[in-house]
Amino acid sequence: MLIQGFLNWLPLASLTFNAYKSDDDPLKRLGNLTPYSAAPASHGVKAELPSDCNVNRVMLMHRHGSRGPEFESGLINSLVQTLKNRSDAIQHAHLPKNLRFLKKGYESHLEPGNLTIIGRQQLFDHGVEFGLKYPNFDTDTLRSSDVPRVIDSMYFFGLGRFGRELEDKELLTVHDMPDPVSWITPWTTCPIDWQYATKASTQPFGLRTIIYYDKYLPKITARLNKLLPDVNLTDDDTHGALYACAYDLAARDGSPWCDVFDADELAEFEYELDLGMDANVGYLAPKDSARVMGSVFVNKLIERFTNTSEEAPSLYLDFGHDATILVAMAAMELNSRTLSYIFTRRDDPPLSPERPPRRRKFRTSYQTPFAANMIWESFTCKESFDGPQIRLVLNDEIYPLRTCAETKKDRRYGTCSLNAFIRANQFSTNIEFGDDMWQATCGAHSEVLHVQE
């Protein structure tokens, strides 16, 4: 692959990416549209392995970087048109400071669906950081979804990690792989009845999110219309403004719309996004479909980490979507963020459109922001642990494997033995593509399902 044309871009790597550091910053909690930053180190486990331990195999699953809007473009464009149509009213209104930008007009120049310049930098930087962390691990092959932003993400990560050596690597997409079902995009062979909404133009995530959409947006719209007399914003306009905040951050690292909403309103937007993701690729997915689809990734991970042949590579680099990570985490009963050492698998009661719970575990802001990365390490130790061990690093945080932890050391380091991991994931190891369980969940697997994310 030619990379000469991109060498002029390399000075971008010297720029400082504005990653949100404060866990209290509402702009760090925009669901799966959150700009990348390291997850809060809140699990209380040791980040460094004992000195007698050596990592011998690494498997990366990386989400694409920040992108432009897709279905949300219609909402944002509609908002822009509403503001243009009411420009006279805006010019004559006495506006608070956080809305005065509207007097100059607001234009959206977001490129739908594609990786943004910030997304390119995220992946390039992550490639550099990965190379510094794992300098002695190498591979001849990188694999990705066939979506352009994911292919581009693979490419820019590869540039950061390998530089000119990327020319000698094989860059594959799921169409180049012989597996009957892809661990990167398993939904293409599981055409279940996903919970897409009847309001397809504005809301793709099903009945739960429509109910919640109708609960929280009207009060925000009413507040804004008091500040913008005679503009007559609709709930869809308000929705578009919330998306404009998120996607301006993805494209330009800042948005005047983010200052329009208070922290509670942004938290409601985050919950809407989480509710939709949970309903489609989390524990609320129909027929346990998220876990069934995630089993493909789990079985691929076990296959790679149990392969003891000398030809087996030490490094696997895969690039996919937030859904790729979420279904895998669901299959392993790990898709929860808890501050407690007590293992609780899911939100109980489940997430509901009635109201957000006071505390919840399913938060895509922490689990799958833009450029999320899930790194699995296989390691062995001379004395500290017996036999092959496994560890998960999710978005730069050690993510404890409580489902398979058996010893005090497991709990201290967030690890478990590879054998215990395999035993804990019998749900996945008992499923094969096309078997009775797969068919009962996924039905006719010849149809291709397209996921928006």
Side-chain angles (χ1 to χ4, degrees), residues 87-102:
S87 59
D88 287 346
I90 292 172
Q91 292 303 321
H92 290 93
H94 178 71
L95 300 180
K97 184 177 180 180
N98 65 343
L99 284 171
R100 288 176 192 164
F101 72 94
L102 293 176

Side-chain angles (χ1 to χ4, degrees), residues 235-348:
D235 289 342
D236 280 354
D237 291 328
T238 301
H239 215 191
L242 286 162
Y243 278 120
C245 163
Y247 282 111
D248 282 347
L249 286 177
R252 296 188 281 271
D253 210 15
S255 174
W257 287 110
C258 294
D259 292 331
V260 170
F261 304 101
D262 63 35
D264 288 342
E265 291 168 342
L266 291 173
E268 289 177 311
F269 178 58
E270 177 200 26
Y271 186 67
E272 178 203 339
L273 297 175
D274 280 353
L275 195 60
M277 296 305 292
D278 200 8
N280 277 325
V281 288
Y283 295 129
L284 295 178
K287 299 182 182 179
D288 222 9
S289 56
R291 298 186 69 217
V292 171
M293 289 187 286
S295 69
V296 186
F297 178 91
V298 179
N299 287 324
K300 178 59 66 173
L301 171 64
I302 292 172
E303 172 194 318
R304 286 171 166 177
F305 278 14
T306 55
N307 184 354
T308 58
S309 69
E310 293 183 0
E311 293 77 18
S314 63
L315 176 62
Y316 299 91
L317 299 177
D318 300 327
F319 299 83
H321 304 261
D322 54 358
T324 310
I325 296 174
L326 290 172
V327 295
M329 298 286 280
M332 293 178 280
E333 292 282 5
L334 291 174
N335 207 345
S336 62
R337 177 180 181 269
T338 175
L339 305 181
S340 171
Y341 280 100
I342 300 174
F343 174 63
T344 53
R345 295 184 176 184
R346 310 183 185 194
D347 286 291
D348 186 18

Side-chain angles (χ1 to χ4, degrees), residues 118-237:
I118 288 176
R120 297 198 294 269
Q121 184 180 351
Q122 288 166 340
L123 269 292
F124 184 87
D125 288 351
H126 285 187
V128 172
E129 292 161 7
F130 190 90
L132 293 173
K133 185 175 182 179
Y134 303 104
N136 299 320
F137 291 79
D138 200 2
T139 182
D140 295 327
T141 307
L142 291 76
R143 301 171 177 85
S144 82
S145 149
D146 62 347
V147 177
R149 62 178 171 270
V150 185
I151 297 173
D152 291 346
S153 294
M154 170 176 63
Y155 184 70
F156 281 101
F157 181 97
L159 278 178
R161 170 59 184 88
F162 300 110
R164 291 181 181 274
E165 292 178 15
L166 185 63
E167 292 179 326
D168 302 323
K169 306 295 182 185
E170 189 175 30
L171 307 184
L172 304 178
T173 74
V174 291
H175 291 309
D176 301 313
M177 303 176 204
D179 304 75
V181 57
S182 168
W183 65 96
I184 298 175
T185 56
W187 49 84
T188 60
T189 41
C190 189
I192 49 130
D193 183 20
W194 282 34
Q195 300 182 21
Y196 287 112
T198 55
K199 296 181 180 179
S201 63
T202 61
Q203 192 55 254
F205 287 127
L207 182 60
R208 287 182 177 88
T209 46
I210 288 179
I211 294 172
Y212 189 66
Y213 168 100
D214 290 335
K215 283 181 178 293
Y216 89 94
L217 283 176
K219 61 184 179 182
I220 304 177
T221 303
R223 180 182 71 80
L224 294 180
N225 278 329
K226 287 182 180 179
L227 300 172
L228 293 166
D230 300 323
V231 175
N232 299 320
L233 295 176
T234 66
D235 289 342
D236 280 354
D237 291 328

